[in-house]
Amino acid sequence: MAKPNKKAPTKTIDIYCKACNAPLFKYRKGGKGALVKCFKERIVEDFTHTPCHCPACEKEFARETLIRGTPAYKFIGGKVWFK
């Protein structure tokens, strides 16, 4: 499978913690689908202090993984929302 295109999406979204509404990432998302994963190379701003943990409530919202050979965060269902 092909690697994700680094520069393709220009639209950015804000990703928030579902529990406390703290901002987690500013991310360049492509497509209209649900937010399932987040490639690290597409993150514009990172508000977290420790990877995969909310800076305010310290709950885990994702897991680090490799998707098609590229480092990414795979979100746990119902832990984040975006606009």
Side-chain angles (χ1 to χ4, degrees):
M1 295 182 95
K3 288 194 173 193
N5 192 340
K6 294 178 189 178
K7 299 174 188 168
T10 55
K11 180 184 154 197
T12 60
I13 60 167
D14 297 316
I15 303 173
Y16 299 94
C17 177
K18 190 86 165 202
C20 64
N21 289 328
L24 302 172
F25 301 125
K26 206 175 257 295
Y27 180 68
R28 291 193 322 246
K29 183 181 186 310
K32 299 178 184 176
L35 189 65
V36 177
K37 62 186 172 284
C38 178
F39 291 106
K40 290 182 183 179
E41 61 195 20
R42 288 188 183 177
I43 295 173
V44 180
E45 278 185 72
D46 187 357
F47 301 107
T48 61
H49 305 297
T50 56
C52 302
H53 288 82
C54 175
C57 64
E58 292 298 321
K59 289 186 180 176
E60 186 179 27
F61 62 86
R63 293 184 182 91
E64 290 188 71
T65 185
L66 283 176
I67 297 173
R68 292 180 240 137
T70 306
Y73 295 124
K74 187 135 185 181
F75 293 115
I76 300 167
K79 297 283 187 174
V80 296
W81 65 277
F82 70 94
K83 66 176 179 180

